[in-house]
């Protein structure tokens, strides 16, 4: 791999900045200063910046966790409440991908991979999130389902079209691509059905499945690839929509 790309992959700098570091003579490979950003680095060679070895990037790690109610989805909580990262024991620092309200249960991802976290949460990538909401004032009638599907007016603007299925008289499954604060609760409230219980059941194609509350499992390589794929597929679809093509 070219030295500039190698440095970027280790998280030292962007590719362009890494090229500048190399040109300025601050980078060495196995003790020899390199000034050509195209210099090829072989596996096992020691790359150093200003004389200090630069560690290899850690392997990406992603866990699926079933967050119970009463647990916060931030990495740390100033009020000392239990956090989702405390539910698992991993030697490296992991970060929650996105947020669930303290009362919301279900699927949340923890990772050390900042790029994946960004792609899964940034609205541009439009990754779907599916929620199961048990609501009050049932039964939920067709009119409410139609409103939820078409988009409802919230204080911060109209919601984008959503996929909505009635699972029983008082339970709906809502799939959205946005991630506004308390969005599903506010959508249901707006159509007259306050949420009593909310669970996230899927992110992209990844389902919560039979993971018990409080339990976690590490995602396998094909699941990671599928998640990343979902972010590029949905970004491409969003681009097409923005250019006026059908989804
Ligand atoms: N929508 C909500 O209202 N709450 C959540 O926790 C997630 C989505």
């Amino acid at each position: 791999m070219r030295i500039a790309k190698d440095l970027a992959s280790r998280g030292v700098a962007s590719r362009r900045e890494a090229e500048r570091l190399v040109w300025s003579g601050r980078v060495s490979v196995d003790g020899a200063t390199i000034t050509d950003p195209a210099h090829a680095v072989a596996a096992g060679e020691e790359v150093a910046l200003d004389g200090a070895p630069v560690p290899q990037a850690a392997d990406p790690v992603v866990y699926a966790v079933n967050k119970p109610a009463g647990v916060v989805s931030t990495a740390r909580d100033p009020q000392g409440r239990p956090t989702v990262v405390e539910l698992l024991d991993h030697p490296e620092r992991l970060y929650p991908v996105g947020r669930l309200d303290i009362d919301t249960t279900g699927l949340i991802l923890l990772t050390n991979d900042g790029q994946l976290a960004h792609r899964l949460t940034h609205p541009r990538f439009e990754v779907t999130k599916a929620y199961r909401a048990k609501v009050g004032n049932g039964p939920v009638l067709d009119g409410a389902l139609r409103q939820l599907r078409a988009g409802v007016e919230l204080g911060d603007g109209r919601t984008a079209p959503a996929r909505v299925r009635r699972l029983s008289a008082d339970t709906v499954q809502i799939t959205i691509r946005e991630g506004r604060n308390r969005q599903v609760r506010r959508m249901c409230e707006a159509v007259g059905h306050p949420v009593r219980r909310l669970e996230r059941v899927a992110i992209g194609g990844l389902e919560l499945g039979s993971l018990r509350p409080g339990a976690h499992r590490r995602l396998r390589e094909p699941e990671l690839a599928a998640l990343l794929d979902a972010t590029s597929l949905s970004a491409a679809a969003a681009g097409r929509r923005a250019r006026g093509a059908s989804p």
Side-chain angles (χ1 to χ4, degrees), residues 8-217:
S9 76
R10 294 174 195 234
V12 166
S14 69
R15 185 94 63 93
R16 191 64 61 80
E17 287 159 5
E19 285 174 356
R20 279 197 282 271
L21 291 173
V22 176
W23 279 321
S24 60
R26 295 173 58 188
V27 177
S28 62
V29 174
D30 273 356
T33 299
I34 302 296
T35 52
D36 176 7
H39 176 92
V41 182
E45 284 185 318
E46 185 183 85
V47 175
L49 174 64
D50 296 333
V54 181
Q56 293 277 0
D59 283 341
V61 176
V62 184
Y63 286 91
V65 180
N66 186 347
K67 184 185 100 56
V71 171
V72 296
S73 57
T74 46
R76 251 189 302 249
D77 183 53
Q79 296 175 47
R81 294 170 295 187
T83 71
V84 74
V85 291
E86 292 162 6
L87 292 172
L88 60 87
D89 193 18
H90 184 82
E92 197 185 342
R93 193 156 192 180
L94 299 176
Y95 299 91
V97 177
R99 296 276 178 269
L100 289 178
D101 302 333
I102 189 163
D103 293 337
T104 303
T105 61
L107 182 59
I108 187 161
L109 302 177
L110 299 186
T111 188
N112 62 351
D113 185 339
Q115 201 194 5
L116 179 68
H118 173 71
R119 293 175 77 104
L120 288 170
T121 50
H122 195 285
R124 181 163 86 82
F125 293 97
E126 297 198 344
V127 175
T128 57
K129 279 109 188 168
Y131 297 88
R132 211 160 274 182
K134 186 175 164 63
V135 298
N137 294 341
V140 181
L141 301 178
D142 290 351
L145 296 181
R146 274 197 296 273
Q147 280 180 275
L148 289 169
R149 285 184 190 126
V152 293
E153 199 55 58
L154 301 180
D156 52 0
R158 197 176 178 77
T159 59
R163 252 193 341 256
V164 183
R165 268 195 308 143
R166 183 171 40 217
L167 303 180
S168 71
D170 67 352
T171 305
V172 287
Q173 181 154 321
I174 303 183
T175 305
I176 56 176
R177 293 178 186 274
E178 304 167 284
R180 300 194 221 165
N181 191 28
R182 299 178 71 81
Q183 179 166 344
V184 174
R185 291 176 195 275
R186 290 190 292 141
M187 286 171 72
C188 292
E189 181 85 43
V191 299
H193 293 288
V195 169
R196 303 279 184 245
R197 226 171 31 228
L198 187 62
E199 177 182 43
R200 181 153 68 190
V201 293
I203 298 172
L206 182 74
E207 297 190 350
L208 176 63
S210 55
L211 201 59
R212 284 171 296 99
H216 63 269
R217 69 178 184 86

Side-chain angles (χ1 to χ4, degrees), residues 211-229:
L211 201 59
R212 284 171 296 99
H216 63 269
R217 69 178 184 86
R218 187 163 169 180
L219 299 191
R220 289 166 289 117
E221 193 50 52
E223 293 177 301
L224 290 182
L227 265 184
L228 203 55
D229 226 37

